[in-house]
Amino acid sequence: MDNAQVDLVVSANILSQLPVIPRNWIEKYGALSEDQLMDVCEGLIGAHLYYLSLFDAQIALITDRRYQTRNKEGITISEKAALYGVPLPRVSSERWDWHIAPAPELHPDYDRVHQVVAQTWKAEGTGYDT
């Protein structure tokens, strides 16, 4: 990027959230097909990853990858990708489950669990190639 003093860029817990408000607005006021809406959501996530790649700095990314609903036995009964199919950079990562809403917070019988990933890599300002 254009500021050589930047040596660390952190993207924490926003990547999966970037499309939420635009998607809600488009669903309410827009006239896009579901495929077009998916393209918008994918584009927002992809643009953020591309922007991260422009820095000549250490990058730290923490994001949800999947949303799961689990029953009382811990069995996944539904699962949704959080990033609309956009791939993350191929770097080493740590993963864990975040029990964001254990029963009965949202439902008496189900837990809401987000699968989270944390990655770090050295971007070299060369761009992100999906």
Side-chain angles (χ1 to χ4, degrees):
M1 283 308 296
D2 58 0
N3 187 339
Q5 294 179 343
V6 174
D7 60 1
L8 173 65
V9 177
V10 178
S11 174
N13 296 324
I14 65 163
L15 188 60
S16 66
Q17 299 304 302
L18 289 173
V20 171
I21 292 173
R23 181 184 178 109
N24 290 342
W25 190 91
I26 291 168
E27 286 177 337
K28 186 173 181 179
Y29 300 108
L32 298 180
S33 70
E34 183 63 25
D35 286 343
Q36 291 170 319
L37 182 56
M38 291 295 289
D39 288 345
V40 169
C41 295
E42 290 171 16
L44 290 168
I45 291 170
H48 185 73
L49 290 171
Y50 174 76
Y51 184 68
L52 292 177
S53 76
L54 297 177
F55 287 91
D56 186 13
Q58 186 71 31
I59 307 298
L61 172 66
I62 303 167
T63 188
D64 301 335
R65 291 189 65 229
R66 298 196 180 290
Y67 307 134
Q68 294 181 328
T69 301
R70 296 181 186 170
N71 66 17
K72 289 182 179 181
E73 291 76 35
I75 297 170
T76 299
I77 58 171
S78 70
E79 182 172 276
K80 181 180 175 187
L83 301 178
Y84 293 86
V86 176
L88 292 174
R90 291 185 202 149
V91 297
S92 64
S93 61
E94 295 291 326
R95 298 177 185 173
W96 64 92
D97 287 345
W98 176 19
H99 294 261
I100 192 167
E105 193 169 320
L106 294 177
H107 189 280
D109 298 322
Y110 303 116
D111 296 335
R112 177 72 181 262
V113 179
H114 290 195
Q115 293 179 332
V116 180
V117 62
Q119 299 180 315
T120 60
W121 70 94
K122 172 71 172 156
E124 298 177 12
T126 58
Y128 181 79
D129 183 25
T130 56

